[in-house]
Amino acid sequence: MRYFTLDGTDHADHKEQGSMIRRYVIWRNRHADDRRLRAVVDRANVA
């Protein structure tokens, strides 16, 4: 999750950061069966 929502960002406050995390979780859950996304997540989990 850090790779997709926090790296390279500069959120104005914790509320904005929380919103981005929630949006990512919702989006990720809707695309859980995407092969390409799973490959990216697997690579990120190794690091």
Side-chain angles (χ1 to χ4, degrees), residues 3-4 24 28 36-46:
Y3 176 79
F4 292 101
Y24 169 73
R28 177 64 180 92
R36 293 179 300 162
L37 178 61
R38 185 164 304 278
V40 171
V41 170
D42 288 345
R43 282 194 311 266
N45 285 337
V46 172

Side-chain angles (χ1 to χ4, degrees), residues 11-26:
H11 301 291
D13 54 26
H14 289 287
K15 184 177 179 180
E16 184 181 349
Q17 182 177 350
S19 174
M20 292 298 292
I21 292 170
R22 280 189 297 280
R23 287 177 57 202
Y24 169 73
V25 169
I26 291 167

Side-chain angles (χ1 to χ4, degrees), residues 1-9 21 24 44 47:
M1 178 172 60
R2 178 177 45 204
Y3 176 79
F4 292 101
T5 60
L6 301 176
D7 284 356
T9 61
I21 292 170
Y24 169 73

